[in-house]
Structure formats: C-alpha cells, structure tokens
Amino acid sequence: MARRPVVEVEHLSVGYMTPRGLATAVDDVSFTIYENEIVGVVGESGCGKSTLANAVMRLLGPGAYVTGGRIRVDGQDVYRMQPEALRQFRWTTMSMVFQSAMNVLNPVKTVASHFEDTFLAHVPNMSKREIADRAAELLRLVRIDPSRLRSYPHELSGGMRQRVVIAIAIALSPRFVIMDEPTTALDVVVQRSILESIMELQGQIGFSVLFISHDINLVTAISNRVGVMYAGRLVELSEAAFDASGGFHHPYTQGLLRAIPKLAVGEDEIEGIPGSPPSPFDMPSGCSFHPRCPYRKPECSMRKPPLVVAENYQVECHLTPAERRGELHVH
Ligand code: SF4
C-alpha cells in the first residue's frame, strides 16, 4: 500500500543575512515524512538542523530567509498560507516541542491555564469542563498525575515540565510534531523514559515526527529513518539501524557513530571526528566534508558528490557502494 506523505520538503535552502553577506544554513535539502513515521535528523551544532525545523514550522528568527524550495505539510504549502490560516494550522495540524520547557511554559501560570490558552485559541466554544477533562486525559497519556494541573512550572521536575510541553503539543491531535532536542537538558534515565513515552504516544495516537538531536544514538533508537546533516546539507537519509553496526553509509555518519562513548570494559576509546565543521563563509570545494574525511579521494575536493539513491538509503558521497562496504563497514 502506498504510504501517504505528511511532510514534503523540496530543495529547501535557508540563509542568514549577516554583515559579511548571506550565510547558507540549509542547502538544497529534500525529504518526505510519511504518515505515522518518525524521521530523526542528527548533526553537530551549527549543521542547520534547528534552522531546518524552524523553517518547516515557519518560525525562522529575524535575519533568516528561505532562499529556495518548498515545504508542504498535509498537502498545504506552509509559505503560501495567510497569517490567520497559519495560526490555525499550527497546533491543529503541525506543532512543535521546543528544547527548553522553561522557555515555553509561563512561570506565573498553572499547567491547567496553559491547556486553557491552547484550547481556547483554537476551539473557542470548548467549555471549561471539557478543557479540564481533556487536559487531565493528556497528562495521563504523558504519565503525569492530573492533580498536577494545579501546579506551576517551578513545582515540577525538568522531566515533568518537558512531558507537559509534549502534552500541550499533542493537545489538538496534530498530524505532525517537530521535536527539537526535546530531552537534551535531562539526565539519561529521564531522557529514556520520555523517549519511551513519545514512542508510546506516537503508536497510540498516530502522528508523524521530525525529531532533531545531536545524539545519533538517541535518534537511531527512536526513528524509522535517520537524516544526517553536515554543513547545511542532508548528506545521508537511511533506515534506522537499530544495532548501529554499520547500517549507515556516509563517512561522516560513521564518524558520529565512532564518537559515541562505549560502556563495555575493554572496548575502544571514543574517537572524535578530527577538525571542525566549516564556516559558511569558507566552504571547502567539492564535498564539504573532505578536509575531515579519512576516505577522501582526489575527486572529493574537486567535484560535489552525487546523490546516490538506493532502496533503503540515500547518500551524497563519491565512494562507490563497494568502497563503502569495504572501507566503512569493517569497523
Ligand atoms: Fe569523504 Fe569523498 Fe565521500 Fe566526501 S565524497 S564523504 S570526502 S569519501
């Protein structure tokens, strides 16, 4: 059965106007997210992943501009919508969980009034009773006792606050939710339990997710497919390899995997990726990863790598499939 696309990003480019000129943060990125699918996007800071998330939500900050391409969510071109239509569209069709719950929740409002604000902005004829019942139901879904509706944000732990933010994001049953580093500030145990909740909710309610993180382990654990960004480009998009043992194809992705600390005694020490990402004002020629790539070939610095599309993955790299198998997957 054909899968139904919910998010279609086509040749998206986003730049920041700076005193030195336009800095490209997202460079010709295309991907589709299907119904009930979780697509993770991973990369080092500054790779363009949060700019991508904000562009999809049409929430780019001052100085940032979409310089090319198109974004459709549930068939609607996000950048052609009038402001009122966009306001309604947000939270009812697409919503977002931001990185820091503390910046999203108003410290002088109870959890209940956050739900009231959300519902009344979109469903003005909802009664107080209906809102309270639905808010209690949503809190139960994210494993919080409904008695917490009376709490203020500072009375909740960091994990609980983030769960409240997730409950608000799904309050109006959106078809698509962007999660931008939703667990970054939390400890590992809380992180894991929130991820489990997200997967549970997604399974029960059924919505598509764009999950942004710098942590490839986390992204691989939660996503159906994983996109990898480097210097503004989506250099790989692959089915998530749950054992992280070589299901990825780009040398940069392999570097991210090798940079994961290993817990077992006697395992190799972590290897960072040498060097640092390039400045948008001084992009290397050819493949922008070539100065850091242990597998680079002469053509890597001369020509942009082709986009290779296979059944379960797509990758931008000059290595042939045989070279990738031989060089990358032997580790
Ligand atoms: Fe490395 Fe060349 Fe592939 Fe770029 S194109 S990732 S430099 S092998």
Side-chain angles (χ1 to χ4, degrees):
M1 208 171 67
R3 294 188 298 169
R4 212 172 148 248
V6 174
V7 181
E8 296 158 279
V9 175
E10 291 167 14
H11 302 292
L12 178 72
S13 293
V14 182
Y16 287 89
M17 195 49 85
T18 76
R20 290 177 67 186
L22 190 73
T24 299
V26 174
D27 183 8
D28 197 10
V29 164
S30 299
F31 63 93
T32 300
I33 305 178
Y34 296 95
E35 222 165 24
N36 293 340
E37 189 186 30
I38 303 183
V39 171
V41 171
V42 69
E44 291 162 291
S45 46
C47 69
K49 56 192 189 303
S50 286
T51 302
L52 171 68
N54 290 332
V56 173
M57 197 69 185
R58 202 169 142 185
L59 278 178
L60 287 169
Y65 301 94
V66 170
T67 54
R70 183 161 80 153
I71 300 166
R72 276 183 299 180
V73 175
D74 207 21
Q76 301 228 46
D77 188 325
V78 173
Y79 282 81
R80 290 189 169 216
M81 297 175 87
Q82 295 301 314
E84 179 50 28
L86 178 67
R87 193 188 69 79
Q88 279 300 333
F89 196 69
R90 287 200 195 118
W91 266 257
T92 53
T93 304
M94 64 172 177
S95 70
M96 187 158 177
V97 175
F98 295 90
Q99 210 171 105
S100 166
M102 242 3 217
N103 297 341
V104 179
L105 298 173
N106 185 334
V108 297
K109 286 187 166 191
T110 60
V111 171
S113 32
H114 284 86
F115 280 105
E116 273 170 31
D117 290 350
T118 307
F119 282 117
L120 292 178
H122 295 277
V123 198
N125 55 359
M126 226 172 146
S127 72
K128 287 229 167 202
R129 183 73 262 154
E130 286 169 326
I131 293 175
D133 289 348
R134 177 80 177 124
E137 187 190 333
L138 285 160
L139 282 196
R140 271 189 222 103
L141 276 174
V142 294
R143 302 188 201 162
I144 293 184
D145 192 286
S147 63
R148 289 296 190 167
L149 281 169
R150 293 188 294 275
S151 302
Y152 287 88
H154 72 270
E155 295 172 321
L156 306 175
S157 68
M160 278 179 154
R161 285 196 290 264
Q162 200 56 290
R163 286 172 187 276
V164 168
V165 171
I166 292 170
I168 293 170
I170 59 165
L172 293 150
S173 311
R175 290 180 51 68
F176 166 54
V177 183
I178 298 176
M179 302 197 176
D180 185 8
E181 305 261 12
T183 59
T184 297
L186 307 169
D187 70 58
V188 180
V189 178
V190 179
Q191 228 178 47
R192 178 176 291 268
S193 125
I194 290 189
L195 284 191
E196 282 168 10
S197 291
I198 293 171
M199 290 166 87
E200 212 174 275
L201 285 173
Q202 199 257 351
Q204 277 174 25
I205 304 172
F207 48 85
S208 307
V209 179
L210 175 61
F211 189 95
I212 307 282
S213 175
H214 62 279
D215 183 337
I216 192 163
N217 244 350
L218 210 75
V219 164
T220 305
I222 196 171
S223 309
N224 301 104
R225 285 185 299 149
V226 175
V228 181
M229 284 189 79
Y230 186 77
R233 292 192 71 88
L234 189 67
V235 294
E236 170 158 12
L237 182 60
S238 291
E239 300 274 333
F242 287 97
D243 59 358
S245 65
F248 292 108
H249 302 267
H250 196 280
Y252 175 61
T253 318
Q254 295 293 331
L256 290 177
L257 287 170
R258 281 197 296 272
I260 297 171
K262 302 197 176 62
L263 294 178
V265 178
E267 288 219 42
D268 295 345
E269 298 212 335
I270 58 167
E271 290 170 50
I273 303 171
S276 45
S279 150
F281 299 107
D282 191 17
M283 277 292 173
S285 57
C287 169
S288 53
F289 186 57
H290 86 256
R292 305 173 75 188
C293 182
Y295 310 110
R296 67 178 166 266
K297 307 195 281 187
E299 63 259 50
C300 295
S301 57
M302 290 187 282
R303 288 199 316 273
K304 290 256 175 243
L307 175 68
V308 179
V309 180
E311 195 188 333
N312 298 323
Y313 68 91
Q314 63 180 58
V315 65
E316 280 188 352
C317 182
H318 282 298
L319 293 181
T320 62
E323 284 172 329
R324 281 201 305 273
R325 271 195 301 277
E327 301 244 28
L328 304 179
H329 294 165
V330 290
H331 302 281

